[in-house]
Amino acid sequence: MANVVQVRVTAFIPEDWIVFMQTSAVKILYNGNNRTFLWDTLNNPKLWKLCSHVNVNFTNKTINHFPGVGPTIERTVDRQTGEIIRPDITGQASTDGVKMTSSSFASNGDYADFKLRAAVNIPTFNPSPDIDWEYSVRVYKDGRVTVTGKHDKYPAHEVWKKVDDNYPLALHRYDPNDHGENVYTGLIKFTHEVNVTK
């Protein structure tokens, strides 16, 4: 039986930089996270745009949520030369849009339930579409985790679990590049379904 089960949800941009807008003269870029799927990102907000980290402790019957929002850097470059033509603008959105709700343990202590919701937009460009997810999570005392819900089709999304001192296991991995989605198309599609138990 498990003592502590950690569940980690992140949204991240796989590329180093992405083109968000452009004219005939300039491109406006946003920083990405320059990585692939990875569990060990907890203490490095440069590796994600949004994060929900949940610790479920079956011994103490506690469910603790740690929300996070990574920094946003906006850059304007000359299309012809690639030169940066104005200083980078750094923005930091609030974690208010990254929430856990309805957390509880079963009366017999065999599992814990909680809901995760995220809706956070680009702090340097307003209004802009939110990065969204919505999950119902059940964590069983034997270490199994069920996740059902949905997320946007951009950026990348991942869900992990770690049971006590065991090796982390990916429950869900989604890369928009594998589905033909980008910041223009996928950020407004809150439709990618998740239904997994591992």
Side-chain angles (χ1 to χ4, degrees), residues 56-75:
V56 179
N57 189 311
F58 283 94
T59 301
N60 299 332
K61 298 295 186 293
T62 57
I63 304 171
N64 294 313
H65 178 232
F66 305 94
V69 177
T72 294
I73 301 173
E74 180 185 306
R75 174 174 291 179

Side-chain angles (χ1 to χ4, degrees), residues 34-106:
N34 196 30
R35 69 171 177 95
T36 185
F37 301 106
L38 182 66
W39 155 265
D40 190 15
T41 63
L42 180 60
N43 296 313
N44 192 345
K46 292 182 179 179
L47 293 178
W48 32 265
K49 293 302 176 187
L50 303 182
C51 163
S52 272
H53 189 92
V54 182
N55 286 346
V56 179
N57 189 311
F58 283 94
T59 301
N60 299 332
K61 298 295 186 293
T62 57
I63 304 171
N64 294 313
H65 178 232
F66 305 94
V69 177
T72 294
I73 301 173
E74 180 185 306
R75 174 174 291 179
T76 302
V77 302
D78 185 291
R79 287 191 66 178
Q80 297 299 317
T81 67
E83 178 187 359
I84 300 171
I85 58 176
R86 70 171 180 173
D88 289 350
I89 299 171
T90 300
Q92 182 65 56
S94 167
T95 59
D96 290 349
V98 184
K99 299 177 181 180
M100 180 181 73
T101 61
S102 306
S103 61
S104 64
F105 276 87

Side-chain angles (χ1 to χ4, degrees), residues 9-20 30-37 45-51 68-72 117-122 128-135 150-159 172-194:
V9 178
T10 64
F12 66 94
I13 296 173
E15 295 79 15
D16 190 18
W17 290 89
I18 60 166
V19 177
F20 186 69
Y30 280 97
N31 70 308
N33 304 109
N34 196 30
R35 69 171 177 95
T36 185
F37 301 106
K46 292 182 179 179
L47 293 178
W48 32 265
K49 293 302 176 187
L50 303 182
C51 163
V69 177
T72 294
R117 178 77 174 97
V120 178
N121 65 13
I122 300 169
S128 61
D130 289 338
I131 297 175
D132 297 284
W133 67 58
E134 191 173 84
Y135 300 120
K150 60 182 179 176
H151 60 69
D152 293 328
K153 291 189 174 181
Y154 189 89
H157 291 259
E158 60 188 354
V159 183
H172 172 69
R173 293 186 287 195
Y174 170 87
D175 186 335
N177 298 312
D178 295 337
H179 299 267
E181 301 289 355
N182 57 48
V183 67
Y184 301 110
T185 63
L187 202 55
I188 58 174
K189 295 179 182 175
F190 187 21
T191 56
H192 190 86
E193 300 286 338
V194 179

